């Protein structure tokens, strides 16, 4: 017996695999600091927990409509319309069991074998894997640190072919924290207007976590004439520290939302009724705690970027949003460990760090980058401080 051909085209998520490895090493008694997964270390706000509790006690423990409860779809439509200036109706919204299934269902509902998806690199690990699983081809377009890790209009124009079905944008981006400005998006929109067969998946999950003053820009907002070709994805995992609740949502053209719901009717069935009740409270309740959280992230960003950039061989990109420090370390590749092993690539570098320093990071190559790593600074100052000391000491031992 063997898995399907589709399974043979994909690897397990590297972010979650490294985090699982860190958890099992810790369970085995090793002293491991995991800065691998992107997960806020704050607690879910109490009013969200109370709402979920109340919902359970009130009997909201049964199936909900496939695309989500009417109340939550209305609240999400309101959020897209009011906060993001993307006109949305409740029928044009789907609630999913996390942001990931929204992306999965959108691609599975639209890709035929050989269809291409343009993905700027570095990218979030799951985009190309989902594309490949669905029989599509990921057309990876590298971006550089000097270009702010943003896809240019010229690169987009070059990457589009008659087989292109989607462009995936992610701003603020994982793993780099790069942000597309309104002007950047307007330039991409100009290219897209000339290619009406290309849709855009705009993953805005990190929208609330930004370090500059510029308002967040999203393609369907900047180019409303393209809105019927854009699926905008968002969720509460990062903004409300609700990673385990598994609630994401998306808005886009009705035919696509309906197709995604059809798939969801045969997969998750519906997102958890209890989580949906919590999500409703999250959207309708106070948002002011977020300012404090972003201030914490900003302080940690300064701490982490300062310490990393002081390490010889480490070039860090100061993130404009999200909570990752993405570093390029070409000068560390080829160095020798105290045991005499050569650091052949960034996987070996991260393996060395976990073994030698007890710090788990994700290699840049997992994100389609090279010779570097991603460090999540969604951890306490003390933990970060200790991890940075260990990383610095381990790098200093390389010969
Ligand atoms: N998006 C987060 C990360 O990149 C969560 C893990 C995952 O699903 O990849 O760390």
């Amino acid at each position: 017996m063997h898995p399907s051909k589709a399974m043979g085209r994909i690897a397990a998520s590297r972010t979650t695999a490294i985090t699982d490895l860190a958890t099992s090493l810790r369970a085995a008694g090793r002293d491991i600091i995991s800065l691998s997964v992107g997960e806020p270390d704050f607690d879910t706000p109490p009013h969200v927990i109370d709402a979920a509790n109340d919902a359970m006690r009130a009997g909201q423990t049964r199936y909900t409509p496939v695309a989500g409860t009417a109340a939550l779809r209305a609240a999400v439509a309101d959020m897209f319309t009011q906060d993001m200036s993307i006109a949305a109706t409740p029928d044009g919204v789907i609630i999913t069991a996390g942001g990931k299934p929204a992306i999965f269902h959108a691609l599975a509902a639209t890709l035929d074998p050989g269809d291409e998806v343009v993905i700027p690199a570095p990218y979030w690990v799951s985009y190309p894997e989902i594309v490949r699983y669905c029989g599509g081809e990921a057309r990876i377009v590298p971006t550089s640190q000097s270009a702010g890790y943003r896809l240019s209009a010229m690169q987009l124009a070059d990457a589009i072919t008659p087989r292109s079905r989607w462009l995936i944008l992610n701003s603020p981006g994982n793993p780099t924290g790069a942000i597309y400005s309104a002007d950047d998006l307007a330039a991409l929109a100009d290219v897209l207007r000339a290619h009406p067969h290309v849709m855009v998946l705009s993953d805005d999950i990190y929208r609330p976590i930004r370090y500059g003053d510029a308002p967040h820009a999203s393609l369907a907002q900047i180019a409303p004439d393209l809105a019927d070709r854009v699926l905008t994805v968002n969720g509460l995992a990062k903004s409300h520290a609700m990673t385990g609740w598994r609630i994401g949502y998306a808005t886009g053209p009705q035919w696509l939302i309906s197709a995604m719901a059809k798939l969801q009717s045969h997969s998750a069935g519906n997102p958890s009724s209890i989580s949906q009740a919590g999500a409703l409270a999250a959207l309708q309740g106070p948002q002011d705690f977020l300012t404090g959280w972003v201030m914490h992230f900003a302080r940690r960003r300064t701490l982490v970027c300062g310490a990393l950039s002081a390490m010889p061989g480490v070039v860090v990109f100061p993130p404009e949003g999200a909570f990752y420090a993405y570093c390029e370390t070409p000068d560390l590749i080829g160095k020798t460990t105290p045991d005499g092993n050569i650091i052949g690539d960034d996987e070996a570098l991260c393996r060395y760090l976990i073994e030698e320093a007890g710090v788990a990071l994700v290699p840049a190559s997992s994100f389609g980058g090279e010779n570097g790593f991603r460090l999540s600074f969604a951890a306490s100052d003390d933990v970060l401080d200790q991890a940075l000391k260990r990383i610095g000491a381990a790098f200093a031992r390389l010969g």
Side-chain angles (χ1 to χ4, degrees):
M1 300 299 275
H2 55 83
S4 65
K5 290 195 179 77
M7 286 304 294
R9 293 195 291 266
I10 65 168
S13 161
R14 306 268 284 280
T15 43
T16 52
I18 291 167
T19 308
D20 288 352
L21 170 68
T23 307
S24 61
L25 287 173
R26 228 186 258 142
R30 290 274 315 274
D31 171 18
I32 301 288
I33 300 176
S34 179
L35 302 179
S36 51
V37 79
E39 171 162 71
D41 56 316
F42 305 119
D43 291 328
T44 302
H47 65 277
V48 176
I49 293 176
D50 289 346
N53 242 316
D54 292 349
M56 269 190 282
R57 294 195 190 288
Q60 291 180 35
T61 52
R62 303 180 185 281
Y63 294 132
T64 74
V66 167
T69 62
L72 184 55
R73 289 174 91 188
V76 170
D78 226 47
M79 183 283 296
F80 277 123
T81 309
Q82 306 298 332
D83 299 358
M84 296 185 68
S85 305
I86 296 173
T89 59
D91 282 353
V93 162
I94 182 169
I95 314 298
T96 50
K100 207 177 305 204
I103 297 163
F104 201 107
H105 288 155
L107 294 172
T110 51
L111 290 180
D112 286 313
D115 284 350
E116 295 175 0
V117 178
V118 178
I119 306 176
Y123 49 71
W124 176 51
V125 287
S126 291
Y127 299 141
E129 301 292 356
I130 298 173
V131 169
R132 285 191 275 266
Y133 179 80
C134 296
E137 285 172 24
R139 193 170 173 106
I140 307 296
V141 184
T143 64
S144 64
Q145 198 174 82
S146 57
Y149 293 120
R150 282 164 305 175
L151 178 77
S152 70
M154 203 186 293
Q155 284 178 304
L156 175 61
D158 285 349
I160 292 177
T161 75
R163 297 306 307 256
S164 305
R165 196 77 214 268
W166 286 95
L167 158 70
I168 299 185
L169 291 176
N170 175 212
S171 173
N174 176 3
T176 62
I179 288 185
Y180 286 81
S181 69
D183 286 349
D184 295 329
L185 294 176
L188 296 179
D190 278 344
V191 175
L192 290 161
R193 285 189 187 97
H195 299 282
H197 61 295
V198 182
M199 300 207 33
V200 180
L201 193 158
S202 178
D203 178 352
D204 293 6
I205 190 95
Y206 293 98
R207 173 178 178 268
I209 305 164
R210 302 186 313 278
Y211 304 111
D213 295 330
H216 179 255
S218 190
L219 191 75
Q221 170 218 341
I222 296 301
D225 58 311
L226 299 182
D228 64 349
R229 292 164 51 192
V230 180
L231 183 77
T232 309
V233 177
N234 216 318
L236 296 162
K238 317 293 179 180
S239 62
H240 287 64
M242 290 174 66
T243 47
W245 296 65
R246 307 314 299 140
I247 291 291
Y249 31 78
T251 190
Q254 193 59 57
W255 67 266
L256 178 58
I257 298 297
S258 301
M260 291 165 68
K262 198 198 269 191
L263 265 183
Q264 183 150 286
S265 76
H266 294 298
S267 54
N270 61 259
S272 149
S273 59
I274 300 151
S275 296
Q276 289 188 70
L280 184 62
L283 285 169
Q284 293 181 335
Q287 309 292 323
D288 47 342
F289 65 90
L290 250 169
T291 315
W293 285 11
V294 173
M295 275 166 60
H296 282 296
F297 285 135
R299 197 187 56 250
R300 295 164 179 182
R301 169 184 181 269
T302 306
L303 170 87
V304 164
C305 291
L308 287 170
S309 57
M311 294 178 198
V314 178
V315 183
V316 59
F317 176 72
E320 299 160 312
F323 37 61
Y324 306 108
Y326 184 80
C327 299
E328 297 193 1
T329 59
D331 292 350
L332 296 182
I333 309 302
K335 296 240 178 206
T336 309
T337 70
D339 294 343
N341 295 317
I342 306 282
I343 302 281
D345 54 22
D346 57 9
E347 291 231 19
L349 187 70
C350 289
R351 215 167 33 243
Y352 167 70
L353 279 179
I354 203 163
E355 278 160 14
E356 183 79 11
V359 179
L361 305 177
V362 187
S365 50
S366 309
F367 307 102
E370 54 181 346
N371 297 338
F373 58 80
R374 183 194 80 174
L375 178 154
S376 164
F377 54 84
S380 74
D381 294 25
D382 284 351
V383 167
L384 291 171
D385 202 44
Q386 208 188 337
L388 290 161
K389 285 195 178 108
R390 291 190 194 185
I391 295 170
F395 284 168
R397 286 196 290 277
L398 292 173

